[in-house]
Amino acid sequence: MRRRRTVVALTALSAGVAGAESFGVQAGLAGGGGFGLHLGAYARVAGFGPVQAELRGTFDRSFTGGGETRVGADALVSANLLLLRPYAGVGLALPLNGGGAGFQTTLGARFGLPGPFSGFAEGSFGGRNVYRAGLLLRF
């Protein structure tokens, strides 16, 4: 009986707060070469069990360090691990103030908060390293 309760609890945790959402918008702070604002939106394109593939678009605006604005697109793979959803992916970043586009890799995690919100923390590494943290509204 105790083993059954443990299995049920683990199943509920892995399918609960960090469950597979189909769409989300995120807002937060960005750092790395300047402090600024981050906005993004992502959509689930495929998934099986706890693993899903996502496409994401991002907008980063730096308020310090030259006031750079960057847009990006990422292909991400995430996995549901209890109350944490780590993700990794590759993408392209384009500075709107001039300069060339560059490839980036992203590593991060989403974690459950009360209600429809999640938190996120990530780093994007490429020609310029950017670190982000904030809130995510998932649907």
Side-chain angles (χ1 to χ4, degrees), residues 24-136:
V25 292
Q26 58 191 47
L29 301 175
F35 178 75
L37 176 68
H38 164 76
L39 300 171
Y42 70 91
R44 178 182 180 181
V45 293
F48 179 76
V51 178
Q52 70 181 33
E54 307 164 0
L55 294 177
R56 179 178 72 169
T58 60
F59 174 87
D60 290 297
R61 171 75 175 137
S62 177
F63 298 123
T64 61
E68 184 177 54
T69 302
R70 297 172 71 86
V71 294
D74 298 296
L76 303 169
V77 174
S78 66
N80 191 6
L81 302 176
L82 295 177
L83 296 177
L84 185 69
R85 180 178 286 281
Y87 55 91
V90 295
L92 190 64
L94 176 67
L96 295 181
N97 300 7
F103 287 102
Q104 64 187 16
T105 58
T106 300
L107 297 172
R110 297 184 198 121
F111 46 91
L113 296 174
F117 293 102
S118 291
F120 74 94
E122 69 180 33
S124 290
F125 310 99
R128 180 169 184 191
N129 296 343
V130 179
Y131 308 97
R132 305 176 184 108
L135 286 177
L136 173 80

